[in-house]
């Protein structure tokens, strides 16, 4: 007895597992911390959310119970995981972790000079 | 950047997320009798929400928002737990005997109310109080 809902559930869980693997490969392959947090915070969030949606649909169709805690978990992961990535990357930049050698442009490095120049210009006006 | 850290993203997310964590901890607390949960992990999760507020803001701000004395909270929790156990003695029952009955509540309908909830409130308060006392004592020592 395989109906369409089971295909949809399997698709969600396989997509989630695929994005988990993509995250792991990204963490190994990417050159520096900033690209790695990019991989970890984006695709891991999507992967976990897909697996949770699959679990929600599974319990909804098989057992007929709507588990609101899973919905809360999806919402929670959606909000907190990117913020975690942001905080890791910012803490790394503030403590002076080097960017990858392929980096073309680093605008934040010139922030101090830029703000000093802006202050000087505004005082002149 | 070093002299004035800009925590806007963390603080904005914390104000939203801490309500979800506290709601979920209250859910865990009341779910404890029939499903996994209870006073211990409910209290730990509430303490985790308070620790998240401590991370995003500082100890002074948390003391202004929630002016609790967490040591008194521990004592109150222990007192509630002991009084719940001693309450059984009034009805000629052994210490820590619990009782339950079904009541018609105005909004919730027929609900079984159990005195074990009162004992769990004691556990909940003790866990919050001890966790926050440990964290604040470590945080304040320079």
């Amino acid at each position: 007895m395989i109906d369409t809902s089971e295909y949809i559930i399997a698709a969600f869980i396989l997509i989630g597992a695929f994005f988990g693997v993509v995250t792991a490969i990204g963490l190994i392959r990417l050159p520096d911390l900033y690209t790695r947090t990019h991989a970890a915070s984006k695709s891991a969030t999507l992967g976990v959310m897909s697996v949770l949606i699959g679990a929600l649909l599974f319990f909804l169709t098989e057992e007929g119970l709507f588990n609101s805690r899973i919905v809360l978990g999806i919402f929670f992961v959606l909000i907190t995981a990117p913020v975690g990535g942001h905080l890791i990357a910012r803490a790394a930049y503030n403590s002076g972790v080097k960017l990858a050698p392929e980096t073309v442009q680093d605008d934040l490095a010139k922030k101090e000079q830029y703000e000093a120049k802006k202050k000087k210009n505004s005082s002149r006006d | 950047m070093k002299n004035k850290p800009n925590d806007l993203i963390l603080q904005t997310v914390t104000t939203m997320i801490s309500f979800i964590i506290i709601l979920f901890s209250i859910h865990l607390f009341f779910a404890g009798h029939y499903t996994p949960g209870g006073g211990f992990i409910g209290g730990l999760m509430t303490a985790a929400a308070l620790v998240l507020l401590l991370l995003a803001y500082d100890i002074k701000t948390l003391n202004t928002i929630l002016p609790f004395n967490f040591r008194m909270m521990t004592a109150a929790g222990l007192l509630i737990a002991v009084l719940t156990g001693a309450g059984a003695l009034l009805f000629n029952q052994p210490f820590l005997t619990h009782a339950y009955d079904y009541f018609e509540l105005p909004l919730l309908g027929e609900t079984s109310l159990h005195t074990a909830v009162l004992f769990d409130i004691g556990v909940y308060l003790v866990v919050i109080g001890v966790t926050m006392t440990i964290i604040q004592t470590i945080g304040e020592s320079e």
Side-chain angles (χ1 to χ4, degrees):
Chain A
M1 253 302 277
I2 294 181
D3 45 0
T4 35
S5 72
E6 295 193 358
Y7 282 115
I8 297 172
I9 293 164
F12 267 116
I13 288 179
L14 283 176
I15 288 171
F18 170 74
F19 275 108
V21 174
V22 165
T23 307
I25 294 173
L27 284 181
I28 296 170
R29 295 274 300 165
L30 288 173
D32 67 346
L33 189 141
Y34 306 102
T35 46
R36 281 178 186 161
T37 52
H38 160 79
S41 60
K42 271 204 181 89
S43 58
T45 310
L46 188 57
V48 170
M49 282 167 65
S50 293
V51 171
L52 284 177
I53 290 172
L56 177 72
L57 291 177
F58 176 80
F59 284 110
L60 194 61
T61 54
E62 297 290 311
E63 320 241 326
L65 48 92
F66 181 76
N67 199 336
S68 57
R69 276 167 288 186
I70 296 184
V71 179
L72 204 62
I74 294 169
F75 185 64
F76 196 82
V77 168
L78 173 68
I79 291 182
T80 52
V83 175
H86 156 77
L87 286 173
I88 291 172
R90 205 185 66 145
Y93 192 89
N94 284 347
S95 55
V97 174
K98 290 274 183 295
L99 280 74
E102 296 91 352
T103 309
V104 180
Q105 197 172 0
D106 182 9
D107 279 342
L108 205 53
K110 299 174 192 151
K111 179 174 173 288
E112 306 273 322
Q113 302 170 19
Y114 173 76
E115 286 194 338
K117 209 172 81 184
K118 210 168 86 175
K119 197 181 276 178
K120 207 193 289 173
N121 284 351
S122 64
S123 65
R124 200 186 293 158
D125 286 342
Chain B
M1 181 178 277
K2 290 246 168 58
N3 45 21
K4 188 173 166 255
N6 181 4
D7 281 340
L8 182 68
I9 294 179
L10 178 62
Q11 287 175 351
T12 312
V13 168
T14 299
T15 45
M16 292 191 328
I17 283 302
S18 55
F19 282 107
I20 297 181
I21 300 177
I22 288 175
L23 272 180
F24 191 64
S25 74
I26 292 171
H27 162 75
L28 278 177
F29 173 74
F30 282 112
H33 201 66
Y34 294 109
T35 50
F40 184 74
I41 59 168
L44 265 188
M45 206 150 186
T46 310
L50 298 182
V51 169
L52 183 65
L53 283 172
L54 268 184
L55 282 177
Y57 299 96
D58 50 4
I59 287 184
K60 266 184 201 154
T61 320
L62 189 72
N63 283 339
T64 340
I65 304 170
L66 301 168
F68 298 141
N69 185 349
F70 288 107
R71 265 161 256 165
M72 292 301 287
M73 192 185 263
T74 313
L78 283 174
L79 190 68
I80 289 171
V82 170
L83 285 182
T84 315
L89 297 175
L90 295 177
F91 301 98
N92 277 333
Q93 298 285 328
F95 185 63
L96 280 177
T97 306
H98 287 289
Y100 70 97
D101 204 353
Y102 294 93
F103 294 96
E104 282 290 335
L105 293 184
L107 220 59
L108 300 168
E110 191 181 18
T111 319
S112 78
L113 295 181
H114 202 295
T115 53
V117 170
L118 298 174
F119 189 79
D120 244 12
I121 287 176
V123 176
Y124 183 80
L125 290 178
V126 168
V127 170
I128 295 178
V130 168
T131 316
M132 291 312 290
T133 309
I134 291 173
I135 301 266
Q136 284 191 335
T137 318
I138 295 172
E140 275 167 354
S141 67
E142 294 284 318

